[in-house]
Amino acid sequence: MELSKMTALEIGSKIKAKELGVVEVTKAALENIEKTDKAYRAFVTVCGEKALTQAEKIQKGIDDGTLTSPLAGVPMAVKDNMCTEGVLTTCASKILTGFKPTYSSTAVRKLEDAGAVILGKLNMDEFAMGSTTETSVHGVTVNPWGENRAPGGSSGGSAVAVAADEAYYTLGSDTGGSIRQPAAFCGVTGLKPTYGTVSRYGLIAYASSLDQIGPIGKNVEDIAEVLSVISGHDPKDSTSVKQDSIKITLDNNIKGKRIGLPKDYFGEGLNSEVKASVLAAAKKLEELGAIVEEFEMPELQYAIPAYYIIACAEASSNLSRFDGVKYGYASPEFKDLTDLYYKSRSEGFGMEVKRRIMIGAFVLSSGYYDAYYKKALQVKAIIKQSFDRAFEKYDCILSPTAPTTALKIGENLSDPLKMYLGDIYTVSVNLAGLPSMVVPCGFDSQGLPIGLQLTGKAFSENEIMNVGYAFQQSTDYHTKKPVLKTGKEA
Amino acid sequence: MEFLTTLGLEVHTELSTKTKIFCGCTTEFGGDPNTHVCEVCTGMPGTLPVLNEQVVEYAIRVGLATNCEITQYNKFDRKNYFYPDLPKAYQVSQLYAPICQNGHIDIEVGGVTKSIRIKEIHMEEDAGKLIHDPWDDCTLVDYNRCGVPLLEIVSEPDFCNGEEVIAYLTKLKSILQYTDVSDCKMEQGSLRADVNLSVRPVGTDELGTRTEMKNINSFKAIARAIEGERKRQIELIEEGKKVVQETRRWDDNKGSSFAMRSKENAQDYRYFPEPDLVPIEISDEWIERVRGELPELPDAKKKRYIADYGLPEYDVDIITGSKFLVKIFEEALEACGEAKEVSNWIMGEVLRLATDTSTDVEDINFTFANLGKLILLVKNNVVNRGTAKEVFEKMFKENVEPEKYIKDNGLEMVNDDGAVREVVLAVLQANPKSVAEFKEGNDKVTRFLMGQCMKQLKGKADPATVNTVIDEELAKL
């Protein structure tokens, strides 16, 4: 089997068994990126030399027994909104031009401590605002599953790097579906953990109360292992929950598990092929012993407006620090301080980011706060309650991830409202702070992947991952690979 | 037309916690620019705040010392505005649920006690400092102060004049010092006051339009700013003009204020709950523990000093007004038990030397118990009062131990009657002219003779004894 097609745990165990060396695996991965990424452009920064130096050190650690993680020596890559010490961190924005943090995000540091080899940084929508990875200053990332298809977003680079076998696993971030939707569109497995499970320290904030880092990988076992490394309380993040790292036990037994299908997520607007595929997956789970049942959650219809109000409000504040004064892009010519602010921000931010900053500043402005922001917080509370009620009856909620499969590049960018509506099945999970995982469950008639979304109550990662694991044990969607173009063909 | 003045105060005080409010950097004043900073307090992308619980503890202390209710479910909010000294472009503060509410401080002006209501006290972070470099014509930012914890103490508009404001600030400062939460050094910016002021004609009920004067950094300047602004507003009204609601900066050198920004240009701070911090719950136990640990506060101390020691109210006001004078008083008293004497020494020599040497009261640095010892040495006639003052100056400046210093320098009082008489006789002999004048009935020469004798005795004798001996010897002639 080709090295690049193996899973993270397979590579890890071969390294442990001395069948493969860390440097060898890293070199192969870098060569593979060189060959493949011209066509897909998942990477915005490749840290070749650094990765090889790291690989040598990690090999020593494995040899002397200090590095014991099953992921030690396995090459991976990180979404470009997570700080990496000494390595460009741009959030795919012009405004962070040249920004090299002096610190690493906690999730990255924990992986490094466990012996991860970091290959580089991955493309995304600018500041994670978007669902297509098209708003990046670095250009579009291409979905390997179809001609001119966008990978979804905002963690498009993270999904494509796994789908195109460029990295064994990646880190993404999910504020309204940014891990799950691209994972579904690229036929890979992705998890948004419960809010507070993974430290946000070093994750450049989009919407602080919704952002969560999570893994994208080739199957449930791989991302379960990644989760065990990156989770756990971080004293540097007050919103990280005071609990140890999560150890997932996958037992392939879902007999008697109660799975709910929210009717509201299978109605108008859902592509019929996606619907059929997700319902077939539900049937499969029923065959495996789960009890599947439909139920109603009408409150979900308010999720999108509430999400965009809260996310944009927080974003307008979070992104104010990018002002051209301290780091990143500063307009070369300006008359005075105000002019420096205006010009740097006007020139440094892209359209979508500006749109969301303006929405956010508006909903927080004096006289509108109660009508918008406060109301959105109330909706958030109602949605959380309605999930709580659902989880009294069900162990897990199954739904589509997105109304469609991957869109053509450019198809949605011109119509922001259409793009926002594409988040309909994912944003409520962030508002409620719940764990949610996407696993591949089929392909449409054009051969584009479809993903099903499994959502659980807070801190029930093990529950939903076990359902996903059982599904993957009896299906092979997650093992299907796109036909990759190499550099020459691209 | 007669006018009434209404004043309200917003006082910012920097807390003397060891570390900043949201990171581990030192709060120490000074330091080379941008050396007391890290990625958190400079608001670098991706960094997150972690609350220093000591700040909450200090806020509870101040709240209890100013008779406030303590908010048990605390949240922080973001105040958004752009300025280079604010690296995140928002200040983490408390708008919706300030930690302390509805308190009061009692002040006394002209013998009348008045209660000033405190609307709220909230926790927040300080900003950095902009330094203009005229040489290169550029502005530089120093983030050392960024993230130093602040309490903002907001009064109701209960003041009628500058005197009341100063009395309140004096009391507030002593409370902050007693409770050990701030050094209140105005010149270092650790106590800053914004003054809200309006005037209205006597006989009207509706308050006039107010202005706010920001960042006035001494009590004297505050008094001048209040007087200046009051006059300016009255003149406007008398000229038929309107007072504009605005923020003004008081220029103490010029003795006038100028407008910074008007209400129309007021910023919309777009406050919203800070999502990076979790709510802090303050338990009843926490509040009661802090209450139990509060030191005796200025009002209580003042009452006790008057009742227990019978000291004059004026002296007690001065001493209890400063935690540092209290420390001197109590440690010296402990060593000698002579309250009245200690009080006199503090009101006299201690404060005189502090003024003469331009030493801040908090920087007075000698072993205070030694003042008690010195008082006992005077009481026991080991040294006379005049010499004791010289000894004290040495103590004040060089922290000498009085008993040893007196011994080493042979400053003990000459109590030997014979030795005194010997000196007196010699002086009389050497000054026949004075003796002759005395015989002619000029009593005043005894003073001169006394001086001569004390000079010979190097000031070490009991003046009363010398006087008696001179009188005796002159009578014999």
Side-chain angles (χ1 to χ4, degrees), chain A residues 44-47 50 80 82-91 93-105 121 202 204 322 326-329, chain B residues 39 42 44-47:
Chain A
V44 298
T45 303
V46 177
C47 321
K50 194 173 187 243
D80 208 26
M82 283 166 238
C83 288
T84 38
E85 188 181 339
V87 175
L88 284 175
T89 301
T90 68
C91 276
S93 179
K94 184 178 176 182
I95 207 141
L96 275 171
T97 303
F99 177 63
K100 284 185 183 172
T102 56
Y103 46 93
S104 281
S105 57
K121 305 296 289 290
I204 300 180
F322 306 110
K326 304 169 292 290
Y327 44 79
Y329 176 78
Chain B
E39 66 248 27
T42 51
M44 297 302 275
T47 60

mmCIF file of all heavy atoms in Angstrom, chain A residues 44-47 50 80 82-91 93-105 121 202 204 322 326-329, chain B residues 39 42 44-47:
data_model
loop_
_atom_site.group_PDB
_atom_site.id
_atom_site.type_symbol
_atom_site.label_atom_id
_atom_site.label_comp_id
_atom_site.label_asym_id
_atom_site.label_seq_id
_atom_site.Cartn_x
_atom_site.Cartn_y
_atom_site.Cartn_z
ATOM 1 N N VAL A 44 -0.882 26.685 2.591
ATOM 2 C CA VAL A 44 -0.439 28.060 2.340
ATOM 3 C C VAL A 44 1.020 28.231 2.780
ATOM 4 O O VAL A 44 1.717 29.115 2.302
ATOM 5 C CB VAL A 44 -1.347 29.100 3.036
ATOM 6 C CG1 VAL A 44 -2.759 29.006 2.480
ATOM 7 C CG2 VAL A 44 -1.365 28.928 4.544
ATOM 8 N N THR A 45 1.459 27.388 3.701
ATOM 9 C CA THR A 45 2.868 27.388 4.103
ATOM 10 C C THR A 45 3.293 25.942 4.313
ATOM 11 O O THR A 45 2.596 25.190 4.984
ATOM 12 C CB THR A 45 3.078 28.145 5.443
ATOM 13 O OG1 THR A 45 2.572 29.464 5.297
ATOM 14 C CG2 THR A 45 4.545 28.211 5.830
ATOM 15 N N VAL A 46 4.397 25.546 3.692
ATOM 16 C CA VAL A 46 4.946 24.217 3.946
ATOM 17 C C VAL A 46 6.248 24.406 4.710
ATOM 18 O O VAL A 46 7.106 25.185 4.305
ATOM 19 C CB VAL A 46 5.202 23.450 2.628
ATOM 20 C CG1 VAL A 46 5.843 22.100 2.902
ATOM 21 C CG2 VAL A 46 3.900 23.276 1.851
ATOM 22 N N CYS A 47 6.366 23.747 5.865
ATOM 23 C CA CYS A 47 7.579 23.920 6.683
ATOM 24 C C CYS A 47 8.487 22.726 6.469
ATOM 25 O O CYS A 47 8.643 21.891 7.369
ATOM 26 C CB CYS A 47 7.244 24.006 8.159
ATOM 27 S SG CYS A 47 5.768 24.909 8.561
ATOM 28 N N LYS A 50 11.836 22.616 8.777
ATOM 29 C CA LYS A 50 11.433 22.519 10.173
ATOM 30 C C LYS A 50 10.867 21.125 10.447
ATOM 31 O O LYS A 50 11.158 20.513 11.483
ATOM 32 C CB LYS A 50 10.377 23.599 10.468
ATOM 33 C CG LYS A 50 10.145 23.804 11.940
ATOM 34 C CD LYS A 50 9.229 24.993 12.210
ATOM 35 C CE LYS A 50 9.182 25.249 13.676
ATOM 36 N NZ LYS A 50 8.046 25.153 14.414
ATOM 37 N N ASP A 80 -4.590 27.540 9.130
ATOM 38 C CA ASP A 80 -3.738 28.718 9.299
ATOM 39 C C ASP A 80 -4.294 29.776 10.263
ATOM 40 O O ASP A 80 -3.791 30.889 10.331
ATOM 41 C CB ASP A 80 -3.446 29.365 7.934
ATOM 42 C CG ASP A 80 -2.111 30.111 7.930
ATOM 43 O OD1 ASP A 80 -1.229 29.732 8.736
ATOM 44 O OD2 ASP A 80 -1.960 31.065 7.158
ATOM 45 N N MET A 82 -4.412 28.903 13.519
ATOM 46 C CA MET A 82 -3.834 28.511 14.801
ATOM 47 C C MET A 82 -2.380 28.949 14.847
ATOM 48 O O MET A 82 -1.615 28.659 13.918
ATOM 49 C CB MET A 82 -3.932 26.996 14.988
ATOM 50 C CG MET A 82 -5.331 26.563 15.371
ATOM 51 S SD MET A 82 -5.544 24.789 15.207
ATOM 52 C CE MET A 82 -6.910 24.757 14.061
ATOM 53 N N CYS A 83 -2.019 29.627 15.916
ATOM 54 C CA CYS A 83 -0.666 30.170 16.009
ATOM 55 C C CYS A 83 0.355 29.046 16.092
ATOM 56 O O CYS A 83 0.171 28.063 16.809
ATOM 57 C CB CYS A 83 -0.544 31.081 17.224
ATOM 58 S SG CYS A 83 -1.417 32.634 16.989
ATOM 59 N N THR A 84 1.434 29.213 15.332
ATOM 60 C CA THR A 84 2.534 28.259 15.338
ATOM 61 C C THR A 84 3.808 29.081 15.503
ATOM 62 O O THR A 84 4.087 29.963 14.687
ATOM 63 C CB THR A 84 2.571 27.490 13.997
ATOM 64 O OG1 THR A 84 2.240 28.403 12.942
ATOM 65 C CG2 THR A 84 1.594 26.345 13.986
ATOM 66 N N GLU A 85 4.515 28.843 16.578
ATOM 67 C CA GLU A 85 5.682 29.645 16.931
ATOM 68 C C GLU A 85 6.681 29.714 15.774
ATOM 69 O O GLU A 85 7.129 28.692 15.254
ATOM 70 C CB GLU A 85 6.355 29.054 18.168
ATOM 71 C CG GLU A 85 7.459 29.946 18.707
ATOM 72 C CD GLU A 85 8.138 29.338 19.924
ATOM 73 O OE1 GLU A 85 7.532 28.478 20.575
ATOM 74 O OE2 GLU A 85 9.288 29.737 20.196
ATOM 75 N N GLY A 86 6.999 30.939 15.364
ATOM 76 C CA GLY A 86 8.010 31.144 14.342
ATOM 77 C C GLY A 86 7.564 30.814 12.926
ATOM 78 O O GLY A 86 8.344 30.933 11.990
ATOM 79 N N VAL A 87 6.310 30.381 12.777
ATOM 80 C CA VAL A 87 5.804 30.021 11.449
ATOM 81 C C VAL A 87 4.648 30.964 11.100
ATOM 82 O O VAL A 87 3.767 31.211 11.919
ATOM 83 C CB VAL A 87 5.306 28.556 11.432
ATOM 84 C CG1 VAL A 87 4.672 28.224 10.082
ATOM 85 C CG2 VAL A 87 6.445 27.601 11.757
ATOM 86 N N LEU A 88 4.680 31.494 9.874
ATOM 87 C CA LEU A 88 3.620 32.402 9.413
ATOM 88 C C LEU A 88 2.235 31.897 9.808
ATOM 89 O O LEU A 88 1.925 30.724 9.629
ATOM 90 C CB LEU A 88 3.674 32.527 7.885
ATOM 91 C CG LEU A 88 4.775 33.403 7.283
ATOM 92 C CD1 LEU A 88 4.734 33.293 5.768
ATOM 93 C CD2 LEU A 88 4.603 34.848 7.727
ATOM 94 N N THR A 89 1.452 32.795 10.329
ATOM 95 C CA THR A 89 0.074 32.480 10.705
ATOM 96 C C THR A 89 -0.774 33.619 10.166
ATOM 97 O O THR A 89 -0.712 34.727 10.686
ATOM 98 C CB THR A 89 -0.044 32.364 12.240
ATOM 99 O OG1 THR A 89 0.850 31.342 12.693
ATOM 100 C CG2 THR A 89 -1.456 32.037 12.666
ATOM 101 N N THR A 90 -1.523 33.376 9.094
ATOM 102 C CA THR A 90 -2.127 34.502 8.366
ATOM 103 C C THR A 90 -3.643 34.583 8.450
ATOM 104 O O THR A 90 -4.221 35.590 8.046
ATOM 105 C CB THR A 90 -1.776 34.435 6.868
ATOM 106 O OG1 THR A 90 -2.429 33.301 6.299
ATOM 107 C CG2 THR A 90 -0.280 34.335 6.656
ATOM 108 N N CYS A 91 -4.320 33.525 8.910
ATOM 109 C CA CYS A 91 -5.781 33.493 8.851
ATOM 110 C C CYS A 91 -6.252 33.753 7.421
ATOM 111 O O CYS A 91 -7.371 34.209 7.214
ATOM 112 C CB CYS A 91 -6.408 34.519 9.789
ATOM 113 S SG CYS A 91 -6.551 33.931 11.465
ATOM 114 N N SER A 93 -5.539 36.047 5.514
ATOM 115 C CA SER A 93 -5.901 37.456 5.349
ATOM 116 C C SER A 93 -4.668 38.289 5.038
ATOM 117 O O SER A 93 -3.583 38.053 5.567
ATOM 118 C CB SER A 93 -6.537 37.977 6.643
ATOM 119 O OG SER A 93 -6.873 39.343 6.496
ATOM 120 N N LYS A 94 -4.869 39.293 4.205
ATOM 121 C CA LYS A 94 -3.786 40.219 3.898
ATOM 122 C C LYS A 94 -3.356 40.965 5.157
ATOM 123 O O LYS A 94 -2.193 41.321 5.332
ATOM 124 C CB LYS A 94 -4.278 41.208 2.844
ATOM 125 C CG LYS A 94 -3.225 42.184 2.354
ATOM 126 C CD LYS A 94 -3.816 43.081 1.279
ATOM 127 C CE LYS A 94 -2.819 44.142 0.831
ATOM 128 N NZ LYS A 94 -3.403 45.036 -0.170
ATOM 129 N N ILE A 95 -4.323 41.169 6.062
ATOM 130 C CA ILE A 95 -4.019 42.001 7.228
ATOM 131 C C ILE A 95 -3.015 41.337 8.155
ATOM 132 O O ILE A 95 -2.367 42.002 8.965
ATOM 133 C CB ILE A 95 -5.310 42.415 7.969
ATOM 134 C CG1 ILE A 95 -5.071 43.742 8.710
ATOM 135 C CG2 ILE A 95 -5.761 41.350 8.963
ATOM 136 C CD1 ILE A 95 -6.203 44.689 8.694
ATOM 137 N N LEU A 96 -2.850 40.015 8.052
ATOM 138 C CA LEU A 96 -1.833 39.348 8.869
ATOM 139 C C LEU A 96 -0.583 39.006 8.062
ATOM 140 O O LEU A 96 0.178 38.105 8.425
ATOM 141 C CB LEU A 96 -2.420 38.116 9.555
ATOM 142 C CG LEU A 96 -3.140 38.425 10.867
ATOM 143 C CD1 LEU A 96 -3.889 37.203 11.389
ATOM 144 C CD2 LEU A 96 -2.152 38.899 11.939
ATOM 145 N N THR A 97 -0.361 39.755 7.013
ATOM 146 C CA THR A 97 0.828 39.573 6.191
ATOM 147 C C THR A 97 2.085 39.539 7.054
ATOM 148 O O THR A 97 2.327 40.451 7.842
ATOM 149 C CB THR A 97 0.953 40.739 5.180
ATOM 150 O OG1 THR A 97 -0.230 40.783 4.405
ATOM 151 C CG2 THR A 97 2.161 40.560 4.265
ATOM 152 N N GLY A 98 2.847 38.489 6.911
ATOM 153 C CA GLY A 98 4.141 38.420 7.599
ATOM 154 C C GLY A 98 4.066 38.130 9.087
ATOM 155 O O GLY A 98 5.083 38.159 9.774
ATOM 156 N N PHE A 99 2.895 37.826 9.614
ATOM 157 C CA PHE A 99 2.791 37.625 11.065
ATOM 158 C C PHE A 99 3.316 36.254 11.478
ATOM 159 O O PHE A 99 2.797 35.220 11.081
ATOM 160 C CB PHE A 99 1.336 37.797 11.527
ATOM 161 C CG PHE A 99 1.140 37.525 12.999
ATOM 162 C CD1 PHE A 99 1.772 38.312 13.952
ATOM 163 C CD2 PHE A 99 0.346 36.467 13.431
ATOM 164 C CE1 PHE A 99 1.614 38.055 15.309
ATOM 165 C CE2 PHE A 99 0.183 36.207 14.783
ATOM 166 C CZ PHE A 99 0.811 37.001 15.720
ATOM 167 N N LYS A 100 4.376 36.285 12.293
ATOM 168 C CA LYS A 100 4.929 35.052 12.856
ATOM 169 C C LYS A 100 4.794 35.111 14.367
ATOM 170 O O LYS A 100 5.520 35.863 15.017
ATOM 171 C CB LYS A 100 6.406 34.894 12.478
ATOM 172 C CG LYS A 100 6.618 34.461 11.051
ATOM 173 C CD LYS A 100 8.099 34.197 10.786
ATOM 174 C CE LYS A 100 8.311 33.836 9.315
ATOM 175 N NZ LYS A 100 9.737 33.764 8.977
ATOM 176 N N PRO A 101 3.891 34.350 14.938
ATOM 177 C CA PRO A 101 3.695 34.425 16.395
ATOM 178 C C PRO A 101 4.922 33.925 17.156
ATOM 179 O O PRO A 101 5.710 33.127 16.632
ATOM 180 C CB PRO A 101 2.497 33.518 16.660
ATOM 181 C CG PRO A 101 2.116 32.900 15.371
ATOM 182 C CD PRO A 101 3.015 33.391 14.292
ATOM 183 N N THR A 102 5.054 34.397 18.391
ATOM 184 C CA THR A 102 6.153 33.961 19.253
ATOM 185 C C THR A 102 5.695 32.821 20.159
ATOM 186 O O THR A 102 6.384 32.443 21.084
ATOM 187 C CB THR A 102 6.623 35.119 20.133
ATOM 188 O OG1 THR A 102 5.483 35.610 20.865
ATOM 189 C CG2 THR A 102 7.206 36.249 19.317
ATOM 190 N N TYR A 103 4.493 32.297 19.898
ATOM 191 C CA TYR A 103 3.916 31.257 20.754
ATOM 192 C C TYR A 103 3.099 30.334 19.876
ATOM 193 O O TYR A 103 2.682 30.703 18.788
ATOM 194 C CB TYR A 103 3.007 31.899 21.825
ATOM 195 C CG TYR A 103 2.083 32.933 21.221
ATOM 196 C CD1 TYR A 103 0.797 32.601 20.789
ATOM 197 C CD2 TYR A 103 2.528 34.236 20.981
ATOM 198 C CE1 TYR A 103 -0.005 33.530 20.157
ATOM 199 C CE2 TYR A 103 1.734 35.162 20.352
ATOM 200 C CZ TYR A 103 0.475 34.815 19.944
ATOM 201 O OH TYR A 103 -0.321 35.738 19.309
ATOM 202 N N SER A 104 2.882 29.129 20.374
ATOM 203 C CA SER A 104 2.041 28.187 19.639
ATOM 204 C C SER A 104 0.719 28.004 20.356
ATOM 205 O O SER A 104 0.652 28.113 21.578
ATOM 206 C CB SER A 104 2.735 26.833 19.528
ATOM 207 O OG SER A 104 3.707 26.877 18.507
ATOM 208 N N SER A 105 -0.310 27.709 19.594
ATOM 209 C CA SER A 105 -1.601 27.418 20.220
ATOM 210 C C SER A 105 -1.448 26.149 21.048
ATOM 211 O O SER A 105 -0.605 25.294 20.764
ATOM 212 C CB SER A 105 -2.677 27.251 19.161
ATOM 213 O OG SER A 105 -2.312 26.240 18.267
ATOM 214 N N LYS A 121 0.923 24.813 7.126
ATOM 215 C CA LYS A 121 -0.324 25.492 7.469
ATOM 216 C C LYS A 121 -1.305 25.411 6.289
ATOM 217 O O LYS A 121 -0.900 25.461 5.133
ATOM 218 C CB LYS A 121 -0.031 26.954 7.810
ATOM 219 C CG LYS A 121 1.013 27.136 8.921
ATOM 220 C CD LYS A 121 0.563 26.588 10.268
ATOM 221 C CE LYS A 121 -0.524 27.395 10.940
ATOM 222 N NZ LYS A 121 -0.078 28.707 11.419
ATOM 223 N N GLY A 202 -4.413 30.470 21.418
ATOM 224 C CA GLY A 202 -3.611 30.474 20.196
ATOM 225 C C GLY A 202 -4.429 30.308 18.932
ATOM 226 O O GLY A 202 -3.890 30.398 17.833
ATOM 227 N N ILE A 204 -6.759 32.031 16.550
ATOM 228 C CA ILE A 204 -7.129 33.425 16.306
ATOM 229 C C ILE A 204 -8.646 33.491 16.168
ATOM 230 O O ILE A 204 -9.232 32.869 15.294
ATOM 231 C CB ILE A 204 -6.391 33.988 15.076
ATOM 232 C CG1 ILE A 204 -4.875 33.905 15.342
ATOM 233 C CG2 ILE A 204 -6.823 35.425 14.795
ATOM 234 C CD1 ILE A 204 -4.002 34.423 14.228
ATOM 235 N N PHE A 322 -6.724 44.238 14.669
ATOM 236 C CA PHE A 322 -5.935 44.306 13.436
ATOM 237 C C PHE A 322 -6.086 45.704 12.862
ATOM 238 O O PHE A 322 -7.028 45.993 12.143
ATOM 239 C CB PHE A 322 -6.396 43.228 12.462
ATOM 240 C CG PHE A 322 -6.392 41.851 13.078
ATOM 241 C CD1 PHE A 322 -7.560 41.188 13.355
ATOM 242 C CD2 PHE A 322 -5.188 41.258 13.440
ATOM 243 C CE1 PHE A 322 -7.551 39.940 13.967
ATOM 244 C CE2 PHE A 322 -5.161 40.017 14.051
ATOM 245 C CZ PHE A 322 -6.355 39.348 14.315
ATOM 246 N N LYS A 326 0.528 47.404 15.133
ATOM 247 C CA LYS A 326 1.492 46.570 15.852
ATOM 248 C C LYS A 326 2.129 45.465 15.014
ATOM 249 O O LYS A 326 3.271 45.095 15.224
ATOM 250 C CB LYS A 326 0.810 45.940 17.075
ATOM 251 C CG LYS A 326 0.194 46.975 17.999
ATOM 252 C CD LYS A 326 -0.703 46.355 19.053
ATOM 253 C CE LYS A 326 -1.958 45.738 18.515
ATOM 254 N NZ LYS A 326 -2.967 46.670 18.002
ATOM 255 N N TYR A 327 1.381 44.865 14.106
ATOM 256 C CA TYR A 327 1.910 43.752 13.303
ATOM 257 C C TYR A 327 1.028 43.614 12.070
ATOM 258 O O TYR A 327 -0.041 44.212 11.987
ATOM 259 C CB TYR A 327 1.909 42.437 14.102
ATOM 260 C CG TYR A 327 0.631 42.223 14.868
ATOM 261 C CD1 TYR A 327 -0.513 41.762 14.232
ATOM 262 C CD2 TYR A 327 0.545 42.550 16.221
ATOM 263 C CE1 TYR A 327 -1.693 41.607 14.915
ATOM 264 C CE2 TYR A 327 -0.643 42.406 16.916
ATOM 265 C CZ TYR A 327 -1.766 41.929 16.251
ATOM 266 O OH TYR A 327 -2.954 41.800 16.930
ATOM 267 N N GLY A 328 1.476 42.800 11.142
ATOM 268 C CA GLY A 328 0.683 42.556 9.947
ATOM 269 C C GLY A 328 0.690 43.742 9.000
ATOM 270 O O GLY A 328 1.604 44.575 9.019
ATOM 271 N N TYR A 329 -0.337 43.819 8.184
ATOM 272 C CA TYR A 329 -0.376 44.820 7.116
ATOM 273 C C TYR A 329 -0.691 46.214 7.651
ATOM 274 O O TYR A 329 -1.594 46.403 8.449
ATOM 275 C CB TYR A 329 -1.436 44.422 6.083
ATOM 276 C CG TYR A 329 -1.605 45.447 4.990
ATOM 277 C CD1 TYR A 329 -0.688 45.529 3.948
ATOM 278 C CD2 TYR A 329 -2.663 46.352 5.018
ATOM 279 C CE1 TYR A 329 -0.826 46.485 2.954
ATOM 280 C CE2 TYR A 329 -2.820 47.303 4.026
ATOM 281 C CZ TYR A 329 -1.895 47.373 2.998
ATOM 282 O OH TYR A 329 -2.022 48.315 2.025
ATOM 283 N N GLU B 39 2.521 38.180 25.456
ATOM 284 C CA GLU B 39 1.598 38.158 24.306
ATOM 285 C C GLU B 39 0.153 38.416 24.749
ATOM 286 O O GLU B 39 -0.656 38.878 23.959
ATOM 287 C CB GLU B 39 1.720 36.828 23.547
ATOM 288 C CG GLU B 39 1.272 35.601 24.323
ATOM 289 C CD GLU B 39 2.409 34.654 24.676
ATOM 290 O OE1 GLU B 39 3.569 35.103 24.794
ATOM 291 O OE2 GLU B 39 2.136 33.453 24.833
ATOM 292 N N THR B 42 -0.373 42.306 25.525
ATOM 293 C CA THR B 42 -0.252 43.117 24.316
ATOM 294 C C THR B 42 -1.295 42.693 23.283
ATOM 295 O O THR B 42 -1.265 43.137 22.144
ATOM 296 C CB THR B 42 1.156 43.002 23.693
ATOM 297 O OG1 THR B 42 1.486 41.626 23.555
ATOM 298 C CG2 THR B 42 2.193 43.687 24.546
ATOM 299 N N MET B 44 -1.926 39.987 21.560
ATOM 300 C CA MET B 44 -1.533 39.327 20.320
ATOM 301 C C MET B 44 -2.633 38.350 19.887
ATOM 302 O O MET B 44 -3.365 37.813 20.719
ATOM 303 C CB MET B 44 -0.201 38.588 20.514
ATOM 304 C CG MET B 44 0.965 39.510 20.847
ATOM 305 S SD MET B 44 1.259 40.795 19.605
ATOM 306 C CE MET B 44 2.277 39.873 18.459
ATOM 307 N N PRO B 45 -2.740 38.099 18.578
ATOM 308 C CA PRO B 45 -3.839 37.271 18.074
ATOM 309 C C PRO B 45 -3.851 35.882 18.707
ATOM 310 O O PRO B 45 -2.802 35.252 18.851
ATOM 311 C CB PRO B 45 -3.534 37.154 16.574
ATOM 312 C CG PRO B 45 -2.657 38.313 16.259
ATOM 313 C CD PRO B 45 -1.870 38.603 17.490
ATOM 314 N N GLY B 46 -5.030 35.440 19.088
ATOM 315 C CA GLY B 46 -5.187 34.092 19.614
ATOM 316 C C GLY B 46 -4.984 33.970 21.116
ATOM 317 O O GLY B 46 -5.278 32.932 21.694
ATOM 318 N N THR B 47 -4.483 35.025 21.752
ATOM 319 C CA THR B 47 -4.245 34.917 23.190
ATOM 320 C C THR B 47 -5.543 35.155 23.958
ATOM 321 O O THR B 47 -6.477 35.759 23.440
ATOM 322 C CB THR B 47 -3.188 35.931 23.661
ATOM 323 O OG1 THR B 47 -3.659 37.243 23.363
ATOM 324 C CG2 THR B 47 -1.867 35.684 22.968
#
